[in-house]
C-alpha cells in the first residue's frame, strides 16, 4: 500500500506552476497524492486528486489582509488533513504559518523554503519560531548548513527539480539573452560592446522596463518563445543577487550548459555556484573560453530519480 502525501500550496503563485507539477510527477508513481490549493490554482495544476479551497482566502488588497487570510487558510487546511499522512507545504508565508501552526500536532510536515529567508527581519523572526515538529526542505547544501545553525527545526536537502534536461545546444544562435537585466548599468555597456564585436543581437526580458526594438537590441516584458531563446543563446545574462534562495533561471542555464554572465550585486548564491561550476561563468570583460562547462553532473544531481530517492530516505 502506498504512503499518503498531502501537497499544499498556500501562495498559489503562477511562477511556481512548473515546480508544483514537477514535484507531483516525481512523487506520484510511489505515493498516493492529494493536492490542496485555491480553486483557480487547482485548475492550473490540473491534478485529478485535488481539494480546492475558496479563492476568497487567497485574495487580498494589502499586506495585513494577506497575512490574516493566510492564517485562516492554514487553519482551514488543517481540518482537511489525516494525521497519518505526510504533509509537504510547497509554498507559505512566514508570519501566518508560524502563528497558525503554534499547536500543530502533525509530526510529518515538511516546508519547502523558497525566498522565505530573504524577507524582512520581522518575517524571519516568526520563521524562527515555527513549531519544532515541522521540518524544512532546502535546495542547496550551504542553505541547509545555515538553517541547521540558525533554526531549531530539522532541515533536509532536496535539490530543485529541473524543467530542462537537454545538454547544451548544438545550434547556438547569434544573440545574447539577458534576463531581468538593468540596461542602464556600466556592466550592460560592456555587454553591448561584446555584442558589437561579435556581431550579436541582444534580447532583454524585463517586465519592469519599456519595450524597445532596434536592429541589435530587442527588449520585451515577456517572450512566448522563452525556452527556445534560452536554449539557443550564445550567452545568458543573469541578475540574481540572492543569499539564501536559489534562482530558477540560473538552474535552467546550468541544466542547459549555457555560458552565464552575472550582472549586478553578487550574493552568497553566486559565490557558491561559481565555486561549484566555475567553467559555466564568464567575466564580461574577459570572455576567453578555456574549458566548456558540461552539465552532466548538474543534471545527475537534480534528476527526478535522485530527488525521489532523497524523498524516500526522508520518509523512511
Amino acid at each position: 500500500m502506498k504512503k499518503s502525501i498531502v501537497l499544499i500550496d498556500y501562495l498559489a503563485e503562477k511562477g511556481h506552476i512548473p515546480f508544483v507539477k514537477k514535484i507531483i510527477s516525481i512523487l506520484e508513481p510511489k505515493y498516493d497524492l492529494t493536492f490542496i490549493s485555491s480553486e483557480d490554482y487547482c485548475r492550473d495544476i490540473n491534478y485529478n486528486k485535488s481539494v480546492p479551497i475558496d479563492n476568497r482566502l487567497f485574495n487580498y488588497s494589502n499586506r495585513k489582509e494577506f497575512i490574516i487570510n493566510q492564517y485562516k487558510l492554514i487553519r482551514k487546511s488543517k481540518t482537511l488533513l489525516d494525521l497519518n499522512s505526510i504533509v509537504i507545504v510547497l509554498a507559505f508565508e512566514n508570519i501566518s504559518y508560524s502563528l497558525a501552526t503554534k499547536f500543530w500536532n502533525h509530526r510529518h510536515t515538511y516546508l519547502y523554503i523558497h525566498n522565505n529567508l530573504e524577507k524582512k527581519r520581522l518575517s524571519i523572526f516568526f520563521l524562527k519560531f515555527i513549531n519544532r515538529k515541522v521540518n524544512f526542505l532546502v535546495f542547496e547544501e550551504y542553505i541547509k548548513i545555515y538553517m541547521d545553525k540558525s533554526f531549531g527545526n530539522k532541515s533536509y536537502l532536496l535539490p530543485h527539480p529541473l524543467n530542462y534536461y537537454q545538454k547544451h545546444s548544438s545550434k547556438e544562435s547569434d544573440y545574447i539573452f539577458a534576463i531581468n537585466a538593468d540596461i542602464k548599468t556600466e556592466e550592460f555597456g560592456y555587454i553591448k560592446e561584446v555584442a558589437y564585436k561579435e556581431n550579436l543581437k541582444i534580447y532583454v526580458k524585463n517586465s519592469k522596463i519599456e519595450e524597445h526594438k532596434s536592429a541589435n537590441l530587442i527588449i520585451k516584458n515577456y517572450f512566448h518563445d522563452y525556452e527556445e531563446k534560452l536554449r539557443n543563446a550564445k550567452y545568458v545574462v543573469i541578475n540574481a543577487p540572492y543569499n539564501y534562495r536559489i534562482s530558477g533561471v540560473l538552474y535552467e542555464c546550468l541544466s542547459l550548459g549555457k555560458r552565464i554572465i552575472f550582472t549586478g550585486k553578487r550574493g552568497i548564491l553566486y559565490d557558491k555556484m561559481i565555486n561549484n561550476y566555475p567553467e559555466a561563468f564568464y567575466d564580461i570583460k574577459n570572455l576567453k573560453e578555456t574549458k566548456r562547462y558540461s552539465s552532466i553532473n548538474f543534471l545527475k544531481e537534480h534528476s527526478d530519480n535522485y530527488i525521489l530517492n532523497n524523498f524516500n530516505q526522508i520518509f523512511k
Side-chain angles (χ1 to χ4, degrees):
M1 185 176 176
K2 291 181 176 180
K3 285 185 178 178
S4 175
I5 294 180
V6 179
L7 299 166
I8 309 176
D9 196 311
Y10 293 120
L11 301 185
E13 295 179 336
K14 293 288 186 182
H16 278 186
I17 289 175
F19 169 78
V20 174
K21 287 186 173 183
K22 194 68 175 178
I23 293 297
I24 289 173
S25 71
I26 290 171
L27 291 173
E28 188 177 24
K30 174 106 180 179
Y31 298 94
D32 180 20
L33 305 181
T34 302
F35 178 68
I36 299 176
S37 191
S38 72
E39 294 167 311
D40 288 345
Y41 210 58
C42 284
R43 277 193 290 270
D44 290 336
I45 300 301
N46 193 29
Y47 184 61
N48 59 348
K49 290 185 67 177
S50 293
V51 179
I53 296 177
D54 194 323
N55 282 332
R56 287 175 294 182
L57 285 176
F58 291 81
N59 298 330
Y60 57 92
S61 57
N62 54 60
R63 175 72 175 166
K64 181 181 177 181
E65 186 180 0
F66 168 59
I67 293 174
I68 291 171
N69 282 2
Q70 283 284 299
Y71 178 88
K72 292 177 181 177
L73 175 59
I74 295 162
R75 300 292 292 178
K76 168 70 175 175
S77 69
K78 186 179 179 182
T79 66
L80 304 174
L81 300 179
D82 180 343
L83 285 177
N84 294 317
S85 296
I86 297 166
V87 177
I88 300 177
V89 177
L90 299 167
F92 69 99
E93 188 279 327
N94 295 345
I95 298 174
S96 54
Y97 195 88
S98 181
L99 293 173
T101 59
K102 186 175 181 181
F103 301 107
W104 191 262
N105 296 318
H106 208 292
R107 293 177 179 270
H108 306 290
T109 301
Y110 302 85
L111 308 183
Y112 263 109
I113 299 294
H114 292 276
N115 63 346
N116 303 79
L117 293 167
E118 300 274 304
K119 300 297 183 179
K120 293 182 179 179
R121 193 172 297 176
L122 179 63
S123 181
I124 299 299
F125 172 83
F126 277 93
L127 181 63
K128 288 187 175 183
F129 284 94
I130 282 179
N131 192 306
R132 294 294 183 259
K133 293 177 182 177
V134 173
N135 307 283
F136 294 134
L137 301 175
V138 300
F139 296 125
E140 289 288 339
E141 179 65 30
Y142 82 91
I143 300 178
K144 182 183 184 306
I145 292 170
Y146 171 73
M147 296 291 285
D148 289 344
K149 287 181 179 178
S150 305
F151 294 77
N153 304 66
K154 192 164 186 178
S155 60
Y156 296 91
L157 174 63
L158 263 176
H160 196 291
L162 301 174
N163 295 321
Y164 311 132
Y165 288 95
Q166 177 182 309
K167 296 177 185 177
H168 62 79
S169 173
S170 59
K171 64 164 206 173
E172 288 179 340
S173 300
D174 56 346
Y175 63 82
I176 297 170
F177 193 26
I179 302 169
N180 296 328
D182 185 347
I183 65 172
K184 296 180 180 179
T185 63
E186 183 180 2
E187 284 181 308
F188 196 80
Y190 289 126
I191 291 168
K192 289 195 285 188
E193 287 180 17
V194 169
Y196 178 76
K197 288 177 183 177
E198 298 193 23
N199 195 27
L200 301 173
K201 287 185 178 180
I202 304 175
Y203 291 93
V204 178
K205 177 186 176 296
N206 194 325
S207 60
K208 297 180 180 179
I209 59 178
E210 186 177 349
E211 294 194 346
H212 167 86
K213 184 176 182 180
S214 61
N216 296 312
L217 178 63
I218 298 94
I219 301 172
K220 289 187 177 183
N221 301 144
Y222 179 81
F223 283 86
H224 292 284
D225 59 345
Y226 170 85
E227 182 180 338
E228 182 182 352
K229 280 281 185 291
L230 190 65
R231 283 183 184 277
N232 297 327
K234 184 169 184 179
Y235 301 103
V236 180
V237 179
I238 294 176
N239 178 25
Y242 307 137
N243 290 316
Y244 295 106
R245 64 172 289 189
I246 62 98
S247 162
V249 175
L250 174 58
Y251 275 34
E252 289 169 352
C253 290
L254 289 170
S255 71
L256 292 170
K258 305 312 298 179
R259 300 177 181 91
I260 303 168
I261 299 170
F262 250 84
T263 62
K265 181 182 176 183
R266 273 70 159 170
I268 298 173
L269 174 66
Y270 171 80
D271 294 336
K272 296 297 180 181
M273 293 296 102
I274 201 170
N275 182 66
N276 293 341
Y277 311 101
E279 295 91 357
F281 295 90
Y282 290 73
D283 183 347
I284 190 60
K285 296 181 183 179
N286 179 19
L287 292 177
K288 184 178 180 182
E289 187 168 84
T290 53
K291 180 182 177 182
R292 184 67 189 271
Y293 161 70
S294 170
S295 61
I296 292 173
N297 288 336
F298 185 82
L299 292 173
K300 182 180 178 181
E301 293 165 1
H302 294 78
S303 69
D304 291 1
N305 285 337
Y306 188 87
I307 294 169
L308 178 59
N309 287 337
N310 280 20
F311 270 122
N312 293 339
Q313 290 298 315
I314 293 170
F315 300 152
K316 268 185 176 181

